Coordinates of all heavy atoms in Angstrom, one line a residue:
K586 N 3.9 -12.2 -5.3 CA 2.9 -13.3 -5.5 C 3.2 -14.0 -6.8 O 3.9 -13.4 -7.7 CB 1.5 -12.7 -5.6 CG 1.1 -11.9 -4.3 CD -0.3 -11.2 -4.5 CE -0.6 -10.4 -3.3 NZ -1.9 -9.6 -3.4
S587 N 2.6 -15.1 -7.0 CA 2.8 -15.9 -8.3 C 2.1 -15.1 -9.4 O 1.2 -14.3 -9.2 CB 2.3 -17.3 -8.2 OG 0.9 -17.3 -7.8
G588 N 2.5 -15.4 -10.6 CA 2.0 -14.6 -11.8 C 0.5 -14.6 -11.9 O -0.1 -13.7 -12.4
D589 N -0.2 -15.7 -11.5 CA -1.6 -15.8 -11.7 C -2.4 -15.2 -10.5 O -3.6 -15.1 -10.5 CB -2.0 -17.3 -11.8 CG -1.7 -18.1 -10.6 OD1 -0.8 -17.7 -9.8 OD2 -2.3 -19.2 -10.4
R590 N -1.7 -14.6 -9.5 CA -2.3 -14.1 -8.3 C -2.1 -12.6 -8.1 O -2.7 -11.9 -7.4 CB -1.9 -14.9 -7.1 CG -2.4 -16.3 -7.1 CD -2.0 -17.0 -5.8 NE -2.5 -16.3 -4.6 CZ -1.7 -15.9 -3.6 NH1 -0.4 -16.0 -3.7 NH2 -2.2 -15.3 -2.6
G591 N -1.0 -12.1 -8.8 CA -0.7 -10.7 -8.5 C -0.1 -10.0 -9.7 O 0.7 -10.6 -10.5
T592 N -0.5 -8.7 -10.0 CA 0.1 -7.9 -11.1 C 1.1 -6.9 -10.6 O 1.8 -6.4 -11.4 CB -1.0 -7.2 -11.8 OG1 -1.6 -6.2 -10.8 CG2 -2.1 -8.1 -12.3
G593 N 1.2 -6.7 -9.3 CA 2.1 -5.7 -8.8 C 1.6 -4.3 -9.0 O 2.4 -3.3 -8.9
L594 N 0.3 -4.1 -9.2 CA -0.3 -2.8 -9.4 C -1.1 -2.3 -8.2 O -1.3 -1.1 -8.0 CB -1.2 -2.8 -10.6 CG -0.6 -3.1 -11.9 CD1 -1.6 -3.0 -13.1 CD2 0.5 -2.1 -12.2
G595 N -1.6 -3.2 -7.4 CA -2.5 -2.9 -6.3 C -2.0 -1.8 -5.3 O -2.6 -0.8 -5.1
L596 N -0.9 -2.1 -4.7 CA -0.3 -1.1 -3.8 C 0.2 0.1 -4.4 O 0.2 1.2 -3.8 CB 0.8 -1.8 -2.9 CG 0.3 -2.9 -2.0 CD1 1.4 -3.6 -1.2 CD2 -0.7 -2.3 -1.0
F597 N 0.7 0.0 -5.7 CA 1.1 1.2 -6.4 C -0.1 2.1 -6.6 O 0.1 3.3 -6.4 CB 1.7 0.7 -7.8 CG 1.9 1.9 -8.8 CD1 2.9 2.7 -8.6 CD2 1.0 2.1 -9.8 CE1 3.1 3.8 -9.5 CE2 1.1 3.1 -10.7 CZ 2.2 4.0 -10.5
V598 N -1.2 1.6 -7.0 CA -2.4 2.4 -7.2 C -2.9 3.0 -5.9 O -3.3 4.1 -5.8 CB -3.5 1.5 -7.8 CG1 -4.9 2.3 -7.8 CG2 -3.2 1.2 -9.3
V599 N -2.8 2.2 -4.8 CA -3.2 2.7 -3.5 C -2.3 3.9 -3.1 O -2.8 5.0 -2.6 CB -3.0 1.6 -2.4 CG1 -3.0 2.2 -1.0 CG2 -4.1 0.6 -2.5
H600 N -1.0 3.8 -3.3 CA -0.1 4.9 -3.0 C -0.5 6.2 -3.8 O -0.5 7.3 -3.3 CB 1.3 4.5 -3.2 CG 2.3 5.5 -2.8 ND1 2.8 6.6 -3.5 CD2 3.0 5.6 -1.6 CE1 3.6 7.3 -2.9 NE2 3.8 6.7 -1.7
R601 N -0.7 6.0 -5.1 CA -1.1 7.1 -6.0 C -2.4 7.8 -5.5 O -2.5 9.0 -5.5 CB -1.2 6.6 -7.4 CG 0.1 6.2 -8.0 CD 1.1 7.2 -8.2 NE 0.6 8.3 -9.1 CZ 1.3 9.4 -9.4 NH1 2.4 9.6 -8.9 NH2 0.8 10.3 -10.3
I602 N -3.4 7.0 -5.2 CA -4.7 7.5 -4.8 C -4.5 8.3 -3.5 O -5.0 9.5 -3.3 CB -5.7 6.4 -4.6 CG1 -6.1 5.8 -6.0 CG2 -7.0 6.9 -3.9 CD1 -7.0 4.7 -5.9
V603 N -3.8 7.7 -2.5 CA -3.6 8.4 -1.2 C -2.9 9.7 -1.4 O -3.2 10.8 -0.8 CB -2.9 7.5 -0.2 CG1 -2.5 8.3 1.1 CG2 -3.8 6.3 0.1
D604 N -1.9 9.7 -2.3 CA -1.1 10.9 -2.5 C -2.0 12.0 -3.2 O -1.9 13.1 -2.8 CB 0.1 10.6 -3.4 CG 1.0 11.7 -3.6 OD1 1.6 12.2 -2.6 OD2 1.2 12.2 -4.8
N605 N -2.8 11.6 -4.1 CA -3.7 12.5 -4.8 C -4.8 13.1 -3.8 O -5.2 14.2 -4.0 CB -4.5 11.8 -5.9 CG -3.6 11.5 -7.1 OD1 -2.5 12.2 -7.3 ND2 -3.9 10.6 -7.9
L606 N -5.1 12.3 -2.8 CA -6.0 12.8 -1.8 C -5.3 13.6 -0.7 O -5.9 14.0 0.3 CB -6.8 11.6 -1.1 CG -7.7 10.9 -2.0 CD1 -8.3 9.6 -1.3 CD2 -8.9 11.8 -2.5
K607 N -4.1 14.0 -0.9 CA -3.3 14.7 0.0 C -3.1 14.0 1.4 O -2.9 14.7 2.4 CB -3.9 16.1 0.3 CG -4.2 16.9 -1.0 CD -3.0 17.2 -1.8 CE -3.3 18.0 -3.0 NZ -2.1 18.3 -3.9
G608 N -3.0 12.7 1.3 CA -2.9 11.9 2.5 C -1.5 11.3 2.5 O -0.6 11.5 1.7
T609 N -1.3 10.4 3.5 CA 0.0 9.6 3.7 C -0.4 8.2 3.9 O -1.4 7.8 4.4 CB 0.8 10.1 4.8 OG1 0.0 9.9 6.1 CG2 1.1 11.6 4.7
I610 N 0.6 7.3 3.5 CA 0.4 5.9 3.8 C 1.8 5.4 4.3 O 2.8 5.7 3.7 CB -0.1 5.1 2.5 CG1 -0.2 3.6 2.9 CG2 0.8 5.3 1.3 CD1 -1.0 2.8 1.8
E611 N 1.7 4.6 5.4 CA 2.9 4.0 5.9 C 2.7 2.6 6.2 O 1.6 2.1 6.4 CB 3.3 4.7 7.2 CG 3.7 6.2 7.1 CD 4.0 6.9 8.4 OE1 3.8 6.2 9.4 OE2 4.4 8.1 8.4
V612 N 3.8 1.8 6.2 CA 3.6 0.4 6.5 C 4.7 -0.1 7.4 O 5.9 0.3 7.3 CB 3.7 -0.4 5.2 CG1 5.0 -0.2 4.4 CG2 3.5 -1.9 5.4
T613 N 4.3 -0.9 8.4 CA 5.3 -1.6 9.3 C 5.0 -3.1 9.1 O 3.9 -3.5 8.9 CB 5.1 -1.1 10.8 OG1 3.7 -1.4 11.2 CG2 5.3 0.3 10.9
S614 N 6.1 -3.8 9.2 CA 5.9 -5.3 9.0 C 7.1 -6.0 9.7 O 8.2 -5.5 9.7 CB 5.9 -5.6 7.5 OG 5.6 -6.9 7.3
T615 N 6.8 -7.2 10.2 CA 7.8 -8.1 10.7 C 7.6 -9.5 10.1 O 6.5 -10.0 10.1 CB 7.6 -8.2 12.3 OG1 7.7 -6.9 12.8 CG2 8.7 -9.1 12.8
P616 N 8.6 -10.0 9.5 CA 8.5 -11.3 8.9 C 7.9 -12.4 9.9 O 8.4 -12.5 11.0 CB 9.9 -11.7 8.5 CG 10.6 -10.3 8.3 CD 10.0 -9.5 9.3
G617 N 6.9 -13.1 9.4 CA 6.3 -14.1 10.3 C 5.3 -13.6 11.2 O 4.6 -14.5 11.9
K618 N 5.1 -12.3 11.4 CA 4.2 -11.8 12.4 C 3.1 -10.9 11.8 O 2.1 -10.7 12.5 CB 4.9 -11.0 13.5 CG 5.9 -11.9 14.3 CD 6.5 -11.1 15.5 CE 7.4 -12.0 16.3 NZ 8.0 -11.2 17.4
G619 N 3.3 -10.4 10.6 CA 2.2 -9.6 10.0 C 2.6 -8.2 9.6 O 3.8 -7.8 9.8
S620 N 1.6 -7.5 9.0 CA 1.9 -6.2 8.5 C 0.8 -5.2 9.0 O -0.3 -5.7 9.3 CB 2.0 -6.2 7.0 OG 3.0 -7.1 6.5
C621 N 1.1 -3.9 9.0 CA 0.1 -2.9 9.3 C 0.3 -1.7 8.4 O 1.3 -1.1 8.3 CB 0.3 -2.5 10.8 SG -0.9 -1.2 11.2
F622 N -0.8 -1.4 7.6 CA -0.8 -0.3 6.7 C -1.6 0.8 7.4 O -2.7 0.6 7.8 CB -1.4 -0.6 5.4 CG -0.6 -1.5 4.5 CD1 -0.5 -2.9 4.6 CD2 0.2 -0.9 3.5 CE1 0.3 -3.6 3.8 CE2 1.0 -1.7 2.6 CZ 1.0 -3.1 2.8
T623 N -1.0 2.0 7.5 CA -1.7 3.2 8.1 C -1.9 4.2 7.0 O -1.0 4.8 6.4 CB -0.9 3.7 9.2 OG1 -0.7 2.7 10.2 CG2 -1.6 4.9 9.9
V624 N -3.2 4.5 6.7 CA -3.6 5.6 5.8 C -4.2 6.7 6.5 O -5.1 6.6 7.3 CB -4.6 5.0 4.8 CG1 -5.1 6.2 3.8 CG2 -4.1 3.9 4.0
C625 N -3.6 7.9 6.4 CA -4.1 9.1 7.0 C -4.5 10.1 6.0 O -3.8 10.4 5.0 CB -3.0 9.7 7.9 SG -2.5 8.7 9.3
L626 N -5.7 10.7 6.2 CA -6.3 11.6 5.2 C -6.6 12.9 6.0 O -7.0 12.9 7.2 CB -7.6 11.0 4.7 CG -7.5 9.7 3.9 CD1 -8.9 9.1 3.5 CD2 -6.7 9.9 2.6

């Protein structure tokens, strides 16, 4: 994202929280079609 819209911390923090909760997070994505984040706890 452009500098005024993103810090690069959001998904990093998400990963850390899920890991601390003993869970997993996976992502699948296709350019032009979208993304899917799967969080399992």
Side-chain angles (χ1 to χ4, degrees):
K586 303 174 185 176
S587 59
D589 60 340
R590 293 179 59 239
T592 62
L594 297 180
L596 291 178
F597 168 76
V598 170
V599 163
H600 188 275
R601 294 292 299 177
I602 290 176
V603 173
D604 187 59
N605 288 338
L606 293 175
K607 307 299 182 184
T609 62
I610 181 168
E611 297 177 353
V612 57
T613 57
S614 186
T615 303
K618 294 186 178 180
S620 304
C621 179
F622 287 82
T623 302
V624 176
C625 293
L626 300 171

